[in-house]
Amino acid sequence: MDDINGSRRRRLSLSFVGRLVLLGVVGYSLVAAGISLVLLNRIETQANFTRDTQIPLILTQTRNAVKIERLSSLLRSIYLAKDRRLERQIQLQIQALAQGFSFDQNARLVEGARQVAEETKIIAKLRQQARDLRESKTSSSPTDTTDADDADRLTTQAYDRAMHTIDAMASQLSGDAAVVADDLAREIQRSAGHMQIGWILILLVPSLFATALLIAARHHLTAPIVAAIDNLERIGKHEQVVGLKRVPLLAELAMIDAAIVAYGQVSDDLHRTNAILHGLAEQDSLTGLANRRTFENYLTAALSRRAAPVLAVVMIDVDHFKSVNDTFGHLVGDRALAAVANVLASLPWHANSLIARYGGEEFVIVLEDCSQQQAIERAENLRRSIQELSIETHAGPSLRLTASFGLAVANHACKAPAEIVAAADAALYSAKRNGRNNVQVASRPGEMSKAS
């Protein structure tokens, strides 16, 4: 008793396991929510920083890039210009654009813009000198022409210095933009990495927990339930139940398993007892054939499912059987009845047929899916087989038997079991009145005809 109580104490209640799992799920949900909140706050902080600092910086660099491109275009225009007034307008635009860089907190861009503006002044001045030398009245002298060419050469050098300065400004701006973009990408990558790791952990823990829970459920929940279902199926098939090799961890399942095993044992005992009683109730103890009660039940069921007039009933009576008992004794009589039953059972009957002992020396056969002509032929074969029997009596010559047959076929006018049995019985007595050892057929209720 102490061992039993100890084993019970070691088992877990299903409700306790359920509460434990629920507590674990709630606790983990709170932890996962806290981790998610931290990660989301970090992302929100990074988003605010990007919006307030890095995006304005990127926009500023974009505007500066546009200014540099515009500055390069204006420089090229003033270099290619041929009109003093146009040069003056372009020069003013370059100076205004260069002053726009002063609002940015980038000293290199401001200094570069100032240098470009100075070079623009030089270009405009040299171009004007060259034009003045070529347009002067003394420009026909070789010296003035050489001075004009020198002015053009110096103009080209100034243009090249200005373009070099613009290229340097563009490179410096690209480097700054690359740094900003790299910082922004690094921050986004770092935040994404933290989020990825966090959510991997958040998803991995439930997966591991679910895997462990499924493994535990398979061993301690599914296996006992499957075993219980299998035992119930065994009970339904009247097979022996099989106990579990290991007692379930859950107390409720252990109780169910014990109850099913006990029920299976009781059911097995009842099945064996019922089989014995069923055999006694449906079989004739002397001949081993079905008894009269089984015949009546079978005939009722056959008539209820019959769709066409193809059911025949053959009543058989052993001729002069009373004299057999009186002359040779009841033991020989029983042996004669058993021999007749063996003949009936040994013939190749249709699958839908029943052979029964009706009472005393009378037998009855039910043939389904059998026409009247087929039933007559089988009755005649059976009559001849009985006539050929030779039964030892231990008191002289062997005993020879004959039998009379009455046959009736069910039709739509004769659907009740009592009617077809009465018709077959009437045909049987007609066979007895007509000299015995023959087959009579009840063609219609109240009419008889001898089988040809």
Side-chain angles (χ1 to χ4, degrees):
M1 181 64 69
D2 293 338
D3 294 339
I4 295 176
N5 293 333
S7 62
R8 288 180 178 176
R9 283 193 298 268
R10 286 192 296 270
R11 296 188 191 126
L12 298 177
S13 170
L14 188 60
S15 60
F16 173 76
V17 173
R19 288 194 296 268
L20 187 63
V21 172
L22 180 61
L23 182 62
V25 171
V26 172
Y28 177 75
S29 299
L30 295 176
V31 173
I35 295 175
S36 300
L37 184 61
V38 172
L39 294 175
L40 291 175
N41 286 335
R42 180 175 296 178
I43 292 176
E44 183 180 4
T45 302
Q46 181 63 32
N48 292 333
F49 174 76
T50 301
R51 182 192 61 193
D52 298 337
T53 303
Q54 292 181 312
I55 291 180
L57 183 58
I58 293 174
L59 292 176
T60 300
Q61 292 175 339
T62 302
R63 289 194 299 267
N64 288 336
V66 174
K67 290 178 182 179
I68 293 173
E69 182 65 26
R70 177 63 177 165
L71 189 63
S72 175
S73 178
L74 290 174
L75 180 62
R76 190 177 299 106
S77 298
I78 198 172
Y79 177 71
L80 298 175
K82 303 297 182 180
D83 183 67
R84 174 60 181 170
R85 183 180 297 175
L86 179 59
E87 290 176 354
R88 182 60 179 169
Q89 292 177 355
I90 296 174
Q91 184 180 359
L92 292 175
Q93 292 181 19
I94 290 176
Q95 289 178 354
L97 189 60
Q99 290 177 358
F101 283 98
S102 62
F103 296 101
D104 297 324
Q105 298 177 356
N106 193 321
R108 295 182 62 183
L109 292 179
V110 174
E111 179 62 23
R114 187 189 64 80
Q115 292 177 4
V116 172
E118 293 294 332
E119 297 293 343
T120 302
K121 292 179 181 180
I122 296 173
I123 292 172
K125 182 179 178 181
L126 292 174
R127 277 290 169 84
Q128 185 59 37
Q129 289 178 0
R131 280 195 296 267
D132 291 342
L133 290 173
R134 289 189 177 95
E135 292 176 358
S136 65
K137 294 181 179 180
T138 60
S139 60
S140 59
S141 65
T143 304
D144 293 337
T145 304
T146 303
D147 292 340
D149 293 338
D150 292 338
D152 289 338
R153 180 175 51 79
L154 293 174
T155 300
T156 302
Q157 292 177 357
Y159 172 74
D160 291 338
R161 290 195 300 271
M163 289 301 296
H164 180 73
T165 302
I166 290 176
D167 291 340
M169 293 171 62
S171 299
Q172 192 267 335
L173 185 63
S174 299
D176 293 342
V179 171
V180 174
D182 185 66
D183 291 340
L184 181 59
R186 189 181 299 109
E187 290 297 329
I188 294 175
Q189 185 178 6
R190 185 183 299 111
S191 299
H194 292 162
M195 178 64 75
Q196 182 179 9
I197 293 173
W199 279 106
I200 287 176
L201 292 176
I202 290 175
L203 296 176
L204 184 60
V205 171
S207 300
L208 295 177
F209 177 74
T211 302
L213 189 62
L214 289 175
I215 293 174
R218 178 182 178 184
H219 289 286
H220 302 291
L221 184 63
T222 305
I225 292 176
V226 171
I229 294 174
D230 183 63
N231 278 333
L232 290 175
E233 292 178 351
R234 288 175 176 272
I235 292 173
K237 297 176 182 178
H238 305 294
E239 298 177 356
Q240 186 177 4
V241 298
V242 178
L244 293 175
K245 297 180 180 179
R246 183 173 57 186
V247 178
L249 181 64
L250 299 177
E252 292 84 352
L253 294 179
M255 185 183 301
I256 291 173
D257 177 68
I260 290 177
V261 171
Y263 175 71
Q265 294 175 351
V266 174
S267 176
D268 188 50
D269 293 340
L270 289 176
H271 177 67
R272 286 196 295 269
T273 303
N274 288 335
I276 295 173
L277 295 176
H278 183 74
L280 294 176
E282 293 188 350
Q283 287 186 348
D284 177 65
S285 58
L286 174 63
T287 62
L289 301 177
N291 57 20
R292 180 170 180 172
R293 178 181 178 183
T294 303
F295 156 72
E296 292 173 348
N297 293 335
Y298 184 88
L299 180 60
T300 301
L303 289 173
S304 65
R305 63 175 175 264
R306 183 171 58 89
V310 291
L311 185 145
V313 174
V314 181
M315 298 283 295
I316 306 166
D317 185 86
V318 180
D319 296 330
H320 304 295
F321 187 74
K322 185 176 182 302
S323 63
V324 173
N325 284 332
D326 293 340
T327 304
F328 300 102
H330 287 283
L331 291 178
V332 175
D334 291 345
R335 190 184 305 161
L337 292 177
V340 173
N342 289 334
V343 171
L344 296 177
S346 62
L347 291 181
W349 298 106
H350 194 273
N352 296 329
S353 62
L354 176 73
I355 307 169
R357 183 183 179 188
Y358 196 70
E361 69 275 15
E362 290 186 336
F363 299 87
V364 64
I365 302 174
V366 180
L367 299 173
E368 294 187 66
D369 300 326
C370 181
S371 65
Q372 176 174 298
Q373 185 58 37
Q374 291 173 333
I376 292 173
E377 292 175 359
R378 295 177 182 181
E380 283 292 343
N381 292 335
L382 183 58
R383 183 188 64 80
R384 288 191 292 270
S385 297
I386 294 175
Q387 189 175 356
E388 294 172 358
L389 281 175
S390 178
I391 301 170
E392 297 293 333
T393 62
H394 302 292
S398 298
L399 176 63
R400 312 293 296 219
L401 298 175
T402 61
S404 301
F405 290 75
L407 188 150
V409 177
N411 52 41
H412 293 293
C414 178
K415 296 183 179 181
E419 293 181 17
I420 189 172
V421 171
D425 191 54
L428 173 63
Y429 280 97
S430 176
K432 288 181 174 290
R433 288 193 300 270
N434 286 277
R436 305 180 190 273
N437 193 24
N438 64 85
V439 178
Q440 290 286 328
V441 180
S443 56
R444 291 187 181 90
E447 297 182 8
M448 304 298 162
S449 62
K450 185 173 182 181
S452 58

